[in-house]
Amino acid sequence: MKLPGHDAIARQADEHLVTHRVKLPRKVVERPIRQVVKRLVMALTVLVATALIVYADHDGYHDSADGSVDLLDAFYYATVTLSTTGYGDITPVSDGARFTNIFLITPLRVLFLIILVGTTLEVLTERTREEWRLNRWRSVLRDHTVVIGFGTKGRSAIQTVCATGLKKEQVVVVDPSSKAIDAAAAEGFAGVIGDATRSDVLKRAEVHKARQIIIAPQRDDTAVLVTLTARQLNRGAKIVAAVREEENAPLLRQSGADAVITSSGAAGRLLGLSVLSPAAGMVMEDLIQQGSGLDLVERPVVRGEVGKTPRETDDLVLSVVRGHRVLGYDDPSVGTLQLTDRLIAIVRATPGNQVTPDTRPLPHD
């Protein structure tokens, strides 16, 4: 595989140069711009109402310039009064105008200030609250799953791991597209906007504390660079990567990936199988779809199965995971099942069926 040179990588980073920030999921009632516009409309409404009140009683006011108060003077007086500037060139002189200033203009002035000051305080409070949430999120986040790329492959991977019981709070998405991160946040996942080939971006996703990393970018060369960077930051995490071309799979394994999925090759084999045997293709598609029909699961051996052969279990066992070896169900070395074994089996999909994560550390050279 031909990787892009240093200059090409730099150009690619510049193209995706975004302020590397973390976006936590939250319930947004209104967009910030809509809130600002609403408050601005309210302030203008108060201003117009004040000007009309003054103009309705313009005979009770005196303008030091020409003595009379017209509509423009009324708006001018309302502006300087609500903003507490008060030049004093237009003043209420009649009892009715002063009464109006006490019981109408003054409350409107207070309301106007509340709207303006309240907007500023809310912005500052929101920033403080967001910073506090971000610091708290970083302090408690560990043993989580980091997903690089929120495209079709990344979304499907997240759906699969969440279907097994993983909480959304334990998933962090990294993608250079702000729209993709917005979509991830809307679904309840934390997201980091930035180029995942950069170590500072992965550090914002707390990759060094992650238990497993799913790498599903659009390009194979990106997958290799991300895998190298992620393995450098976290030597013990389980890394699973996807590539388009099968010839690039060995390079990903050399870069530190524990498992490599060839998306185009897998799709092609499924297409060929469906041509040769449509029924077999339907079964394979059913196994791939999580939570419907048949499911392929990995589970520990229960005590009632200890001493039995894989064929004697209630589930259709395909392989036995013993230590770091994956043995076929008919492998003579399997013998009988041990309590420390794990089974890869086909079961009928039910809400209780879950893939139990293997928490044992993986060996790395």
Side-chain angles (χ1 to χ4, degrees):
M1 182 186 70
K2 184 178 181 181
L3 294 177
H6 178 76
D7 293 339
I9 297 175
R11 285 195 301 270
Q12 183 181 2
D14 291 338
E15 291 175 358
H16 298 295
L17 187 58
V18 187
T19 302
H20 305 319
R21 60 186 177 89
V22 179
K23 186 167 186 178
L24 301 181
R26 61 178 179 176
K27 296 180 180 179
V28 180
V29 179
E30 278 188 313
R31 295 180 179 179
I33 185 64
R34 183 174 297 178
Q35 293 183 6
V36 172
V37 170
K38 180 183 291 186
R39 290 173 183 266
L40 181 61
V41 171
M42 293 172 60
L44 291 176
T45 302
V46 172
L47 176 63
V48 172
T50 304
L52 294 178
I53 292 174
V54 172
Y55 183 71
D57 190 24
H58 62 277
D59 292 336
Y61 292 83
H62 175 73
D63 186 358
S64 59
D66 55 11
S68 62
V69 176
D70 56 14
L71 183 60
L72 178 60
D73 295 331
F75 273 94
Y76 169 75
Y77 176 79
T79 302
V80 297
T81 300
L82 294 180
S83 62
T84 67
T85 304
Y87 294 115
D89 48 351
I90 299 178
T91 56
V93 293
S94 68
D95 293 340
R98 291 177 178 178
F99 181 87
T100 302
N101 266 262
I102 295 173
F103 293 100
L104 289 180
I105 304 301
T106 299
L108 288 174
R109 180 190 301 119
V110 174
L111 178 60
F112 186 82
L113 293 176
I114 289 176
I115 293 173
L116 295 184
V117 177
T119 301
T120 304
L121 291 177
E122 184 173 344
V123 171
L124 295 176
T125 303
E126 180 63 24
R127 289 181 180 177
T128 304
R129 186 187 301 115
E130 189 67 20
E131 188 68 22
W132 179 84
R133 290 181 67 223
L134 184 57
N135 291 333
R136 182 177 180 275
W137 172 77
R138 284 175 172 157
S139 64
V140 301
L141 187 66
R142 54 181 46 85
D143 293 333
H144 57 290
T145 299
V146 178
V147 181
I148 311 298
F150 198 63
T152 303
K153 292 178 291 186
R155 289 172 184 264
S156 299
I158 292 177
Q159 291 175 359
T160 300
V161 296
C162 288
T164 63
L166 184 67
K167 296 181 180 180
K168 291 185 176 182
E169 294 80 7
Q170 288 295 106
V171 176
V172 181
V173 178
V174 181
D175 197 285
S177 171
S178 58
K179 292 183 179 179
I181 296 302
D182 289 340
E187 295 183 20
F189 305 110
V192 177
I193 304 174
D195 184 359
T197 61
R198 299 168 61 93
S199 60
D200 56 336
V201 175
L202 293 182
K203 287 179 181 179
R204 289 181 179 272
E206 304 294 320
V207 164
H208 54 285
K209 296 190 295 184
R211 172 177 294 179
Q212 48 201 12
I213 304 170
I214 300 173
I215 301 175
Q218 299 296 327
R219 295 165 53 99
D220 287 2
D221 53 356
T222 303
V224 173
L225 293 175
V226 173
T227 303
L228 283 169
T229 308
R231 180 55 73 198
Q232 183 182 18
L233 295 175
N234 192 328
R235 301 293 299 175
K238 184 183 296 183
I239 298 180
V240 179
V243 291
R244 293 178 178 270
E245 303 299 331
E246 195 166 356
E247 64 180 11
N248 297 328
L251 185 55
L252 266 168
R253 293 190 180 92
Q254 294 175 12
S255 302
D258 299 300
V260 180
I261 308 300
T262 307
S263 57
S264 58
R269 284 188 288 272
L270 184 57
L271 287 172
L273 179 62
S274 299
V275 170
L276 297 174
S277 174
M282 291 176 61
V283 173
M284 287 299 300
E285 186 177 1
D286 185 18
L287 289 173
I288 294 175
Q289 294 179 353
Q290 182 77 22
S292 62
L294 300 175
D295 268 354
L296 186 64
V297 301
E298 178 182 346
R299 65 172 180 82
V301 172
V302 298
R303 292 189 178 275
E305 296 172 334
V306 175
K308 295 182 179 180
T309 64
R311 295 179 181 270
E312 293 175 335
T313 61
D314 295 333
D315 297 332
L316 181 58
V317 177
L318 300 180
S319 300
V320 177
V321 182
R322 179 168 295 170
H324 296 296
R325 297 184 301 161
V326 180
L327 306 174
Y329 70 93
D330 56 349
D331 193 319
S333 61
V334 172
T336 58
L337 298 177
Q338 303 173 10
L339 189 60
T340 56
D341 291 340
R342 298 176 67 85
L343 302 180
I344 298 177
I346 296 177
V347 299
R348 176 64 61 182
T350 62
N353 289 338
Q354 294 185 356
V355 179
T356 306
D358 190 350
T359 58
R360 294 171 297 178
L362 295 172
H364 297 293
D365 296 333

